[in-house]
Amino acid sequence: MDYDGKTVAITGAASGIGHATAQMAAQTGARIIALDRDAGALETMRADFVARGWAITPVEVDIGSEASVRAAVEQCMAAIGRVDLLVNSAGIVSRGMFETTTGEEWQRVLSINLSGSFFCLQQMVPLLRAGTGRAVVNVASLAAKRVSYTGGVSYTAAKAGMLGLTRHAAFELAHEGIRVNAVCPGPVLTAMTQQAIPEEERRKVVAMVPLGDWLRPQDVAASILFLGSPAARMITGAALDIDGGLSLVTGASFESYRNSRQ
Ligand SMILES: NC(=O)c1ccc[n+]([C@@H]2O[C@H](COP(=O)([O-])OP(=O)(O)OC[C@H]3O[C@@H](n4cnc5c(N)ncnc54)[C@H](O)[C@@H]3O)[C@@H](O)[C@H]2O)c1
C-alpha cells in the first residue's frame, strides 16, 4: 500500500492498533494526523516520528465530547485542510458483568466507543471531501458480531452499533465516492488487553485461536490500510474479520468467561 502524499487521520493514534496504523502509513509516505486524549503519549509519538523523518500533526482530543471533536477537526482543517483516510481506532474497555453494569459505565463506554466515532466521522466529512482518498475505516471488534470476552455488555453493544454506523454512513456517502468500512479484530496484544486480561487468562485466550497466536497491532493495521487504499475501491459498508480464525469456533465457555472476572 502506497500512502505517499496522502493525509491519514487516526483517532487513538498514540497506542496499539492506531499507533501501528500510523507507523505503517507513515513508512509509505503519509502525513499522519494523530488524534488522542493522552497528551504525553502524543508528544512521545511526535518526537519519534520527527526523528524518523515522518510527517505528523498531533491533535489532543477527547472523542467522547462532541465539542472537543469539533475543536480538533477545526484544528485539522486549519493545519492541513484535507484528509484522505480517517481511521476511528480510539476506544476503551469495561469488564463488568451484565447485571452489575452501572448506568455510568454503560454511558461512558457508549459515548467513547460509539458516539465518539460518530462525531469524528460526521465532522470529518468536509475534510474527506477535500481529499482524494475518500475512505474511512472504523475499528469495531469481533465482539460486534458475537460476545466480547475482553469487555462487558456495554463494549459488545457499542461495537455492534459501530457496524450499524459503518453501514449507514457507507450508504449515505457512497454517491460522493466516500467509502466507509469496518475491521473486526479478534484478540490483539495491546495496552488494552494487557491491562484488562491477567497473564494466565491471556494464555487461555490464545489457546482458543485456531491460528494459535495473538494478533499483533500490525496485523490489523495492514487490513485497515488495505481497506483505505484504492485496492479496495469497490468495497464499502463491509466488516472484515481479522481474528486468526476465532469466529470459526464456538469460543469460550461461560465458566471461563465468569472465572476471568474473579
Ligand atoms: N486489543 C484488542 O484485542 C482489540 C480487539 C478488537 C477491537 N479493538 C478495538 O481497537 C481499538 C484500539 O484498541 P487498542 O487495543 O489499540 O487499545 P489501546 O488502549 O492500546 O489504544 C487506545 C487509544 O485510544 C485512546 N483513547 C481512549 N479514549 C479516548 C478518547 N475518549 N478520546 C481520544 N482518544 C482516546 C487512548 O489514549 C489510546 O491511545 C479500540 O476501539 C478497541 O475497542 C481492540
Side-chain angles (χ1 to χ4, degrees), residues 12-18 35-38 61-64 89-92 112-113 139-142 150 155 159 185-188 190-193 214:
S15 179
I17 294 167
L35 298 129
D36 207 288
R37 70 173 173 189
D38 186 335
V61 64
D62 174 3
I63 65 159
S89 186
I92 58 168
I112 293 175
N113 289 10
V139 182
S141 169
L142 201 54
T150 311
Y155 188 86
K159 292 301 185 183
V188 190
T190 65
M192 176 181 278
T193 39
W214 278 82

PDB file of all heavy atoms in Angstrom, residues 12-18 35-38 61-64 89-92 112-113 139-142 150 155 159 185-188 190-193 214, ligand 1:
ATOM      1  N   GLY A  12      -7.056   7.619  18.502  1.00  0.00           N
ATOM      2  CA  GLY A  12      -6.394   6.570  19.284  1.00  0.00           C
ATOM      3  C   GLY A  12      -5.021   6.247  18.717  1.00  0.00           C
ATOM      4  O   GLY A  12      -4.519   5.137  18.868  1.00  0.00           O
ATOM      5  N   ALA A  13      -4.403   7.269  18.077  1.00  0.00           N
ATOM      6  CA  ALA A  13      -3.138   7.045  17.356  1.00  0.00           C
ATOM      7  C   ALA A  13      -1.948   6.832  18.278  1.00  0.00           C
ATOM      8  O   ALA A  13      -0.893   6.377  17.836  1.00  0.00           O
ATOM      9  CB  ALA A  13      -2.857   8.225  16.429  1.00  0.00           C
ATOM     10  N   ALA A  14      -2.101   7.177  19.550  1.00  0.00           N
ATOM     11  CA  ALA A  14      -0.935   7.143  20.444  1.00  0.00           C
ATOM     12  C   ALA A  14      -0.636   5.754  20.984  1.00  0.00           C
ATOM     13  O   ALA A  14       0.390   5.564  21.656  1.00  0.00           O
ATOM     14  CB  ALA A  14      -1.148   8.124  21.601  1.00  0.00           C
ATOM     15  N   SER A  15      -1.492   4.770  20.711  1.00  0.00           N
ATOM     16  CA  SER A  15      -1.268   3.432  21.287  1.00  0.00           C
ATOM     17  C   SER A  15      -1.862   2.343  20.385  1.00  0.00           C
ATOM     18  O   SER A  15      -2.755   2.611  19.575  1.00  0.00           O
ATOM     19  CB  SER A  15      -1.919   3.379  22.683  1.00  0.00           C
ATOM     20  OG  SER A  15      -1.755   2.107  23.260  1.00  0.00           O
ATOM     21  N   GLY A  16      -1.350   1.147  20.564  1.00  0.00           N
ATOM     22  CA  GLY A  16      -1.965  -0.058  19.996  1.00  0.00           C
ATOM     23  C   GLY A  16      -2.192  -0.046  18.498  1.00  0.00           C
ATOM     24  O   GLY A  16      -1.289   0.258  17.711  1.00  0.00           O
ATOM     25  N   ILE A  17      -3.417  -0.377  18.107  1.00  0.00           N
ATOM     26  CA  ILE A  17      -3.774  -0.532  16.686  1.00  0.00           C
ATOM     27  C   ILE A  17      -3.630   0.809  15.953  1.00  0.00           C
ATOM     28  O   ILE A  17      -3.113   0.865  14.829  1.00  0.00           O
ATOM     29  CB  ILE A  17      -5.218  -1.077  16.573  1.00  0.00           C
ATOM     30  CG1 ILE A  17      -5.286  -2.505  17.137  1.00  0.00           C
ATOM     31  CG2 ILE A  17      -5.715  -1.023  15.138  1.00  0.00           C
ATOM     32  CD1 ILE A  17      -6.695  -3.034  17.367  1.00  0.00           C
ATOM     33  N   GLY A  18      -4.089   1.896  16.588  1.00  0.00           N
ATOM     34  CA  GLY A  18      -3.984   3.216  15.953  1.00  0.00           C
ATOM     35  C   GLY A  18      -2.536   3.591  15.714  1.00  0.00           C
ATOM     36  O   GLY A  18      -2.174   4.113  14.654  1.00  0.00           O
ATOM     37  N   LEU A  35      -4.708  11.795  16.496  1.00  0.00           N
ATOM     38  CA  LEU A  35      -5.704  12.311  17.445  1.00  0.00           C
ATOM     39  C   LEU A  35      -5.766  11.384  18.655  1.00  0.00           C
ATOM     40  O   LEU A  35      -5.987  10.171  18.497  1.00  0.00           O
ATOM     41  CB  LEU A  35      -7.075  12.381  16.772  1.00  0.00           C
ATOM     42  CG  LEU A  35      -7.147  13.322  15.560  1.00  0.00           C
ATOM     43  CD1 LEU A  35      -7.758  12.624  14.369  1.00  0.00           C
ATOM     44  CD2 LEU A  35      -7.933  14.579  15.896  1.00  0.00           C
ATOM     45  N   ASP A  36      -5.597  11.935  19.841  1.00  0.00           N
ATOM     46  CA  ASP A  36      -5.652  11.103  21.048  1.00  0.00           C
ATOM     47  C   ASP A  36      -5.883  12.012  22.250  1.00  0.00           C
ATOM     48  O   ASP A  36      -5.598  13.206  22.204  1.00  0.00           O
ATOM     49  CB  ASP A  36      -4.341  10.317  21.220  1.00  0.00           C
ATOM     50  CG  ASP A  36      -4.526   9.015  21.998  1.00  0.00           C
ATOM     51  OD1 ASP A  36      -4.746   9.090  23.227  1.00  0.00           O
ATOM     52  OD2 ASP A  36      -4.459   7.936  21.374  1.00  0.00           O
ATOM     53  N   ARG A  37      -6.374  11.402  23.330  1.00  0.00           N
ATOM     54  CA  ARG A  37      -6.583  12.221  24.539  1.00  0.00           C
ATOM     55  C   ARG A  37      -5.361  12.202  25.451  1.00  0.00           C
ATOM     56  O   ARG A  37      -5.286  12.969  26.403  1.00  0.00           O
ATOM     57  CB  ARG A  37      -7.805  11.740  25.310  1.00  0.00           C
ATOM     58  CG  ARG A  37      -7.626  10.404  25.966  1.00  0.00           C
ATOM     59  CD  ARG A  37      -8.805  10.057  26.845  1.00  0.00           C
ATOM     60  NE  ARG A  37      -8.673   8.685  27.325  1.00  0.00           N
ATOM     61  CZ  ARG A  37      -9.618   8.030  27.964  1.00  0.00           C
ATOM     62  NH1 ARG A  37     -10.775   8.606  28.193  1.00  0.00           N
ATOM     63  NH2 ARG A  37      -9.421   6.804  28.365  1.00  0.00           N
ATOM     64  N   ASP A  38      -4.406  11.319  25.147  1.00  0.00           N
ATOM     65  CA  ASP A  38      -3.224  11.171  26.002  1.00  0.00           C
ATOM     66  C   ASP A  38      -2.114  12.097  25.499  1.00  0.00           C
ATOM     67  O   ASP A  38      -1.341  11.749  24.585  1.00  0.00           O
ATOM     68  CB  ASP A  38      -2.775   9.698  25.962  1.00  0.00           C
ATOM     69  CG  ASP A  38      -1.640   9.419  26.944  1.00  0.00           C
ATOM     70  OD1 ASP A  38      -0.899  10.359  27.302  1.00  0.00           O
ATOM     71  OD2 ASP A  38      -1.502   8.252  27.344  1.00  0.00           O
ATOM     72  N   VAL A  61      -7.505  15.392  21.777  1.00  0.00           N
ATOM     73  CA  VAL A  61      -8.968  15.386  21.689  1.00  0.00           C
ATOM     74  C   VAL A  61      -9.535  14.343  22.641  1.00  0.00           C
ATOM     75  O   VAL A  61      -8.913  13.309  22.883  1.00  0.00           O
ATOM     76  CB  VAL A  61      -9.418  15.073  20.224  1.00  0.00           C
ATOM     77  CG1 VAL A  61      -8.998  13.670  19.801  1.00  0.00           C
ATOM     78  CG2 VAL A  61     -10.924  15.220  20.056  1.00  0.00           C
ATOM     79  N   ASP A  62     -10.723  14.623  23.168  1.00  0.00           N
ATOM     80  CA  ASP A  62     -11.496  13.592  23.865  1.00  0.00           C
ATOM     81  C   ASP A  62     -12.689  13.295  22.980  1.00  0.00           C
ATOM     82  O   ASP A  62     -13.637  14.095  22.901  1.00  0.00           O
ATOM     83  CB  ASP A  62     -11.956  14.101  25.242  1.00  0.00           C
ATOM     84  CG  ASP A  62     -12.883  13.106  25.927  1.00  0.00           C
ATOM     85  OD1 ASP A  62     -13.130  12.016  25.369  1.00  0.00           O
ATOM     86  OD2 ASP A  62     -13.378  13.426  27.029  1.00  0.00           O
ATOM     87  N   ILE A  63     -12.666  12.151  22.291  1.00  0.00           N
ATOM     88  CA  ILE A  63     -13.723  11.891  21.310  1.00  0.00           C
ATOM     89  C   ILE A  63     -15.089  11.668  21.966  1.00  0.00           C
ATOM     90  O   ILE A  63     -16.110  11.665  21.279  1.00  0.00           O
ATOM     91  CB  ILE A  63     -13.382  10.721  20.357  1.00  0.00           C
ATOM     92  CG1 ILE A  63     -13.279   9.397  21.128  1.00  0.00           C
ATOM     93  CG2 ILE A  63     -12.150  11.001  19.537  1.00  0.00           C
ATOM     94  CD1 ILE A  63     -13.461   8.180  20.224  1.00  0.00           C
ATOM     95  N   GLY A  64     -15.096  11.478  23.269  1.00  0.00           N
ATOM     96  CA  GLY A  64     -16.366  11.344  23.976  1.00  0.00           C
ATOM     97  C   GLY A  64     -17.109  12.664  24.115  1.00  0.00           C
ATOM     98  O   GLY A  64     -18.255  12.683  24.561  1.00  0.00           O
ATOM     99  N   SER A  89     -10.008   4.559  15.670  1.00  0.00           N
ATOM    100  CA  SER A  89      -9.492   3.449  16.478  1.00  0.00           C
ATOM    101  C   SER A  89      -9.614   3.695  17.983  1.00  0.00           C
ATOM    102  O   SER A  89      -9.549   2.752  18.761  1.00  0.00           O
ATOM    103  CB  SER A  89      -8.017   3.174  16.119  1.00  0.00           C
ATOM    104  OG  SER A  89      -7.533   2.025  16.773  1.00  0.00           O
ATOM    105  N   ALA A  90      -9.789   4.947  18.397  1.00  0.00           N
ATOM    106  CA  ALA A  90      -9.844   5.231  19.842  1.00  0.00           C
ATOM    107  C   ALA A  90     -10.970   4.442  20.492  1.00  0.00           C
ATOM    108  O   ALA A  90     -12.071   4.325  19.937  1.00  0.00           O
ATOM    109  CB  ALA A  90     -10.049   6.721  20.079  1.00  0.00           C
ATOM    110  N   GLY A  91     -10.683   3.871  21.647  1.00  0.00           N
ATOM    111  CA  GLY A  91     -11.724   3.125  22.355  1.00  0.00           C
ATOM    112  C   GLY A  91     -11.252   2.730  23.732  1.00  0.00           C
ATOM    113  O   GLY A  91     -10.058   2.805  24.051  1.00  0.00           O
ATOM    114  N   ILE A  92     -12.216   2.345  24.560  1.00  0.00           N
ATOM    115  CA  ILE A  92     -11.911   1.884  25.912  1.00  0.00           C
ATOM    116  C   ILE A  92     -12.639   0.563  26.134  1.00  0.00           C
ATOM    117  O   ILE A  92     -13.510   0.185  25.347  1.00  0.00           O
ATOM    118  CB  ILE A  92     -12.358   2.903  26.987  1.00  0.00           C
ATOM    119  CG1 ILE A  92     -13.861   3.184  26.868  1.00  0.00           C
ATOM    120  CG2 ILE A  92     -11.556   4.188  26.883  1.00  0.00           C
ATOM    121  CD1 ILE A  92     -14.430   3.938  28.061  1.00  0.00           C
ATOM    122  N   ILE A 112     -17.777   6.933  24.264  1.00  0.00           N
ATOM    123  CA  ILE A 112     -16.456   6.948  23.610  1.00  0.00           C
ATOM    124  C   ILE A 112     -16.453   5.994  22.409  1.00  0.00           C
ATOM    125  O   ILE A 112     -16.122   6.380  21.289  1.00  0.00           O
ATOM    126  CB  ILE A 112     -15.346   6.595  24.624  1.00  0.00           C
ATOM    127  CG1 ILE A 112     -15.239   7.722  25.664  1.00  0.00           C
ATOM    128  CG2 ILE A 112     -14.003   6.377  23.918  1.00  0.00           C
ATOM    129  CD1 ILE A 112     -14.268   7.466  26.789  1.00  0.00           C
ATOM    130  N   ASN A 113     -16.839   4.751  22.636  1.00  0.00           N
ATOM    131  CA  ASN A 113     -16.674   3.737  21.579  1.00  0.00           C
ATOM    132  C   ASN A 113     -17.652   3.881  20.417  1.00  0.00           C
ATOM    133  O   ASN A 113     -17.337   3.488  19.304  1.00  0.00           O
ATOM    134  CB  ASN A 113     -16.805   2.334  22.179  1.00  0.00           C
ATOM    135  CG  ASN A 113     -15.613   1.964  23.040  1.00  0.00           C
ATOM    136  OD1 ASN A 113     -14.773   2.806  23.349  1.00  0.00           O
ATOM    137  ND2 ASN A 113     -15.528   0.712  23.440  1.00  0.00           N
ATOM    138  N   VAL A 139     -12.620   0.891  13.568  1.00  0.00           N
ATOM    139  CA  VAL A 139     -12.104  -0.301  14.245  1.00  0.00           C
ATOM    140  C   VAL A 139     -13.201  -0.788  15.201  1.00  0.00           C
ATOM    141  O   VAL A 139     -13.389  -0.250  16.292  1.00  0.00           O
ATOM    142  CB  VAL A 139     -10.786  -0.015  14.993  1.00  0.00           C
ATOM    143  CG1 VAL A 139     -10.268  -1.300  15.623  1.00  0.00           C
ATOM    144  CG2 VAL A 139      -9.743   0.564  14.033  1.00  0.00           C
ATOM    145  N   ALA A 140     -13.956  -1.761  14.732  1.00  0.00           N
ATOM    146  CA  ALA A 140     -15.008  -2.376  15.565  1.00  0.00           C
ATOM    147  C   ALA A 140     -14.343  -3.502  16.355  1.00  0.00           C
ATOM    148  O   ALA A 140     -13.325  -3.287  17.020  1.00  0.00           O
ATOM    149  CB  ALA A 140     -16.160  -2.855  14.696  1.00  0.00           C
ATOM    150  N   SER A 141     -14.877  -4.685  16.274  1.00  0.00           N
ATOM    151  CA  SER A 141     -14.319  -5.811  17.033  1.00  0.00           C
ATOM    152  C   SER A 141     -15.093  -7.059  16.627  1.00  0.00           C
ATOM    153  O   SER A 141     -16.234  -6.967  16.150  1.00  0.00           O
ATOM    154  CB  SER A 141     -14.511  -5.572  18.538  1.00  0.00           C
ATOM    155  OG  SER A 141     -14.206  -6.736  19.275  1.00  0.00           O
ATOM    156  N   LEU A 142     -14.500  -8.212  16.883  1.00  0.00           N
ATOM    157  CA  LEU A 142     -15.246  -9.458  16.728  1.00  0.00           C
ATOM    158  C   LEU A 142     -16.478  -9.413  17.638  1.00  0.00           C
ATOM    159  O   LEU A 142     -17.512 -10.022  17.355  1.00  0.00           O
ATOM    160  CB  LEU A 142     -14.335 -10.628  17.114  1.00  0.00           C
ATOM    161  CG  LEU A 142     -14.685 -12.000  16.588  1.00  0.00           C
ATOM    162  CD1 LEU A 142     -14.836 -11.992  15.087  1.00  0.00           C
ATOM    163  CD2 LEU A 142     -13.625 -12.998  17.017  1.00  0.00           C
ATOM    164  N   THR A 150     -13.154  -9.766  26.254  1.00  0.00           N
ATOM    165  CA  THR A 150     -12.388  -8.748  26.992  1.00  0.00           C
ATOM    166  C   THR A 150     -13.309  -7.764  27.696  1.00  0.00           C
ATOM    167  O   THR A 150     -13.053  -7.363  28.824  1.00  0.00           O
ATOM    168  CB  THR A 150     -11.474  -7.962  26.023  1.00  0.00           C
ATOM    169  OG1 THR A 150     -10.756  -8.891  25.221  1.00  0.00           O
ATOM    170  CG2 THR A 150     -10.501  -7.074  26.770  1.00  0.00           C
ATOM    171  N   TYR A 155     -19.473  -2.819  25.968  1.00  0.00           N
ATOM    172  CA  TYR A 155     -18.485  -2.926  24.886  1.00  0.00           C
ATOM    173  C   TYR A 155     -19.105  -3.649  23.682  1.00  0.00           C
ATOM    174  O   TYR A 155     -18.999  -3.194  22.539  1.00  0.00           O
ATOM    175  CB  TYR A 155     -17.240  -3.665  25.402  1.00  0.00           C
ATOM    176  CG  TYR A 155     -16.077  -3.679  24.438  1.00  0.00           C
ATOM    177  CD1 TYR A 155     -15.163  -2.633  24.396  1.00  0.00           C
ATOM    178  CD2 TYR A 155     -15.889  -4.742  23.562  1.00  0.00           C
ATOM    179  CE1 TYR A 155     -14.087  -2.647  23.516  1.00  0.00           C
ATOM    180  CE2 TYR A 155     -14.819  -4.772  22.681  1.00  0.00           C
ATOM    181  CZ  TYR A 155     -13.911  -3.724  22.658  1.00  0.00           C
ATOM    182  OH  TYR A 155     -12.849  -3.749  21.784  1.00  0.00           O
ATOM    183  N   LYS A 159     -19.774  -1.872  20.030  1.00  0.00           N
ATOM    184  CA  LYS A 159     -19.121  -2.363  18.809  1.00  0.00           C
ATOM    185  C   LYS A 159     -20.151  -2.827  17.782  1.00  0.00           C
ATOM    186  O   LYS A 159     -19.960  -2.642  16.576  1.00  0.00           O
ATOM    187  CB  LYS A 159     -18.132  -3.484  19.157  1.00  0.00           C
ATOM    188  CG  LYS A 159     -16.917  -2.983  19.950  1.00  0.00           C
ATOM    189  CD  LYS A 159     -16.134  -1.927  19.183  1.00  0.00           C
ATOM    190  CE  LYS A 159     -14.862  -1.501  19.900  1.00  0.00           C
ATOM    191  NZ  LYS A 159     -14.141  -0.437  19.199  1.00  0.00           N
ATOM    192  N   PRO A 185     -11.412  -6.942  14.682  1.00  0.00           N
ATOM    193  CA  PRO A 185     -10.292  -7.757  15.175  1.00  0.00           C
ATOM    194  C   PRO A 185     -10.720  -8.693  16.301  1.00  0.00           C
ATOM    195  O   PRO A 185     -11.580  -8.365  17.115  1.00  0.00           O
ATOM    196  CB  PRO A 185      -9.295  -6.716  15.718  1.00  0.00           C
ATOM    197  CG  PRO A 185      -9.782  -5.377  15.253  1.00  0.00           C
ATOM    198  CD  PRO A 185     -11.260  -5.522  15.050  1.00  0.00           C
ATOM    199  N   GLY A 186     -10.066  -9.844  16.322  1.00  0.00           N
ATOM    200  CA  GLY A 186     -10.124 -10.730  17.489  1.00  0.00           C
ATOM    201  C   GLY A 186      -9.141 -10.190  18.513  1.00  0.00           C
ATOM    202  O   GLY A 186      -8.823  -8.990  18.517  1.00  0.00           O
ATOM    203  N   PRO A 187      -8.625 -11.038  19.407  1.00  0.00           N
ATOM    204  CA  PRO A 187      -7.745 -10.541  20.469  1.00  0.00           C
ATOM    205  C   PRO A 187      -6.389 -10.048  19.944  1.00  0.00           C
ATOM    206  O   PRO A 187      -5.670 -10.783  19.285  1.00  0.00           O
ATOM    207  CB  PRO A 187      -7.563 -11.756  21.379  1.00  0.00           C
ATOM    208  CG  PRO A 187      -7.979 -12.929  20.582  1.00  0.00           C
ATOM    209  CD  PRO A 187      -8.909 -12.474  19.521  1.00  0.00           C
ATOM    210  N   VAL A 188      -6.109  -8.776  20.233  1.00  0.00           N
ATOM    211  CA  VAL A 188      -4.856  -8.139  19.795  1.00  0.00           C
ATOM    212  C   VAL A 188      -4.061  -7.789  21.044  1.00  0.00           C
ATOM    213  O   VAL A 188      -4.619  -7.239  21.999  1.00  0.00           O
ATOM    214  CB  VAL A 188      -5.144  -6.837  19.011  1.00  0.00           C
ATOM    215  CG1 VAL A 188      -3.868  -6.317  18.359  1.00  0.00           C
ATOM    216  CG2 VAL A 188      -6.245  -7.034  17.978  1.00  0.00           C
ATOM    217  N   THR A 190      -2.312  -5.536  22.997  1.00  0.00           N
ATOM    218  CA  THR A 190      -2.062  -4.095  23.123  1.00  0.00           C
ATOM    219  C   THR A 190      -2.185  -3.736  24.602  1.00  0.00           C
ATOM    220  O   THR A 190      -2.523  -4.586  25.435  1.00  0.00           O
ATOM    221  CB  THR A 190      -3.117  -3.266  22.350  1.00  0.00           C
ATOM    222  OG1 THR A 190      -4.388  -3.483  22.962  1.00  0.00           O
ATOM    223  CG2 THR A 190      -3.187  -3.625  20.885  1.00  0.00           C
ATOM    224  N   ALA A 191      -1.986  -2.452  24.910  1.00  0.00           N
ATOM    225  CA  ALA A 191      -2.135  -1.986  26.296  1.00  0.00           C
ATOM    226  C   ALA A 191      -3.529  -2.335  26.819  1.00  0.00           C
ATOM    227  O   ALA A 191      -3.697  -2.732  27.976  1.00  0.00           O
ATOM    228  CB  ALA A 191      -1.911  -0.477  26.346  1.00  0.00           C
ATOM    229  N   MET A 192      -4.539  -2.233  25.936  1.00  0.00           N
ATOM    230  CA  MET A 192      -5.921  -2.503  26.352  1.00  0.00           C
ATOM    231  C   MET A 192      -6.078  -3.923  26.897  1.00  0.00           C
ATOM    232  O   MET A 192      -6.592  -4.126  27.996  1.00  0.00           O
ATOM    233  CB  MET A 192      -6.867  -2.293  25.161  1.00  0.00           C
ATOM    234  CG  MET A 192      -8.312  -2.626  25.453  1.00  0.00           C
ATOM    235  SD  MET A 192      -9.371  -2.375  24.013  1.00  0.00           S
ATOM    236  CE  MET A 192      -9.667  -0.621  24.097  1.00  0.00           C
ATOM    237  N   THR A 193      -5.611  -4.900  26.146  1.00  0.00           N
ATOM    238  CA  THR A 193      -5.797  -6.293  26.578  1.00  0.00           C
ATOM    239  C   THR A 193      -4.828  -6.665  27.699  1.00  0.00           C
ATOM    240  O   THR A 193      -5.167  -7.459  28.579  1.00  0.00           O
ATOM    241  CB  THR A 193      -5.628  -7.253  25.384  1.00  0.00           C
ATOM    242  OG1 THR A 193      -4.571  -6.786  24.552  1.00  0.00           O
ATOM    243  CG2 THR A 193      -6.893  -7.365  24.574  1.00  0.00           C
ATOM    244  N   TRP A 214      -1.785 -14.567  19.377  1.00  0.00           N
ATOM    245  CA  TRP A 214      -2.444 -13.269  19.494  1.00  0.00           C
ATOM    246  C   TRP A 214      -2.234 -12.503  18.196  1.00  0.00           C
ATOM    247  O   TRP A 214      -1.212 -12.671  17.530  1.00  0.00           O
ATOM    248  CB  TRP A 214      -1.801 -12.465  20.637  1.00  0.00           C
ATOM    249  CG  TRP A 214      -2.321 -12.829  21.977  1.00  0.00           C
ATOM    250  CD1 TRP A 214      -1.936 -13.882  22.736  1.00  0.00           C
ATOM    251  CD2 TRP A 214      -3.340 -12.153  22.717  1.00  0.00           C
ATOM    252  NE1 TRP A 214      -2.645 -13.907  23.909  1.00  0.00           N
ATOM    253  CE2 TRP A 214      -3.511 -12.848  23.923  1.00  0.00           C
ATOM    254  CE3 TRP A 214      -4.126 -11.010  22.483  1.00  0.00           C
ATOM    255  CZ2 TRP A 214      -4.440 -12.455  24.885  1.00  0.00           C
ATOM    256  CZ3 TRP A 214      -5.033 -10.622  23.432  1.00  0.00           C
ATOM    257  CH2 TRP A 214      -5.187 -11.341  24.621  1.00  0.00           C
TER     258      TRP A 214
HETATM  259  N1  LIG B   1      -6.908  -5.007  21.650  1.00  0.00           N
HETATM  260  C1  LIG B   1      -7.860  -5.799  21.224  1.00  0.00           C
HETATM  261  O1  LIG B   1      -7.877  -7.018  21.495  1.00  0.00           O
HETATM  262  C2  LIG B   1      -8.982  -5.258  20.371  1.00  0.00           C
HETATM  263  C3  LIG B   1      -9.816  -6.170  19.712  1.00  0.00           C
HETATM  264  C4  LIG B   1     -10.855  -5.678  18.938  1.00  0.00           C
HETATM  265  C5  LIG B   1     -11.052  -4.321  18.814  1.00  0.00           C
HETATM  266  N2  LIG B   1     -10.234  -3.465  19.470  1.00  0.00           N
HETATM  267  C6  LIG B   1     -10.505  -2.037  19.309  1.00  0.00           C
HETATM  268  O2  LIG B   1      -9.372  -1.433  18.728  1.00  0.00           O
HETATM  269  C7  LIG B   1      -9.316  -0.075  19.105  1.00  0.00           C
HETATM  270  C8  LIG B   1      -7.917   0.240  19.609  1.00  0.00           C
HETATM  271  O3  LIG B   1      -7.660  -0.571  20.737  1.00  0.00           O
HETATM  272  P1  LIG B   1      -6.189  -0.890  21.241  1.00  0.00           P
HETATM  273  O4  LIG B   1      -6.191  -2.312  21.640  1.00  0.00           O
HETATM  274  O5  LIG B   1      -5.221  -0.388  20.253  1.00  0.00           O
HETATM  275  O6  LIG B   1      -6.196  -0.044  22.602  1.00  0.00           O
HETATM  276  P2  LIG B   1      -5.112   0.921  23.259  1.00  0.00           P
HETATM  277  O7  LIG B   1      -5.612   1.115  24.643  1.00  0.00           O
HETATM  278  O8  LIG B   1      -3.738   0.421  23.025  1.00  0.00           O
HETATM  279  O9  LIG B   1      -5.294   2.285  22.434  1.00  0.00           O
HETATM  280  C9  LIG B   1      -6.453   3.068  22.529  1.00  0.00           C
HETATM  281  C10 LIG B   1      -6.083   4.525  22.312  1.00  0.00           C
HETATM  282  O10 LIG B   1      -7.302   5.278  22.325  1.00  0.00           O
HETATM  283  C11 LIG B   1      -7.097   6.448  23.094  1.00  0.00           C
HETATM  284  N3  LIG B   1      -8.373   6.907  23.641  1.00  0.00           N
HETATM  285  C12 LIG B   1      -9.154   6.276  24.551  1.00  0.00           C
HETATM  286  N4  LIG B   1     -10.230   7.024  24.838  1.00  0.00           N
HETATM  287  C13 LIG B   1     -10.114   8.159  24.104  1.00  0.00           C
HETATM  288  C14 LIG B   1     -10.911   9.319  23.978  1.00  0.00           C
HETATM  289  N5  LIG B   1     -12.029   9.491  24.696  1.00  0.00           N
HETATM  290  N6  LIG B   1     -10.515  10.285  23.124  1.00  0.00           N
HETATM  291  C15 LIG B   1      -9.367  10.139  22.409  1.00  0.00           C
HETATM  292  N7  LIG B   1      -8.568   9.069  22.493  1.00  0.00           N
HETATM  293  C16 LIG B   1      -8.942   8.083  23.335  1.00  0.00           C
HETATM  294  C17 LIG B   1      -6.127   6.026  24.198  1.00  0.00           C
HETATM  295  O11 LIG B   1      -5.477   7.146  24.785  1.00  0.00           O
HETATM  296  C18 LIG B   1      -5.191   5.102  23.431  1.00  0.00           C
HETATM  297  O12 LIG B   1      -4.109   5.817  22.887  1.00  0.00           O
HETATM  298  C19 LIG B   1     -10.395   0.138  20.165  1.00  0.00           C
HETATM  299  O13 LIG B   1     -11.526   0.733  19.563  1.00  0.00           O
HETATM  300  C20 LIG B   1     -10.717  -1.276  20.606  1.00  0.00           C
HETATM  301  O14 LIG B   1     -12.026  -1.404  21.104  1.00  0.00           O
HETATM  302  C21 LIG B   1      -9.194  -3.885  20.234  1.00  0.00           C
END
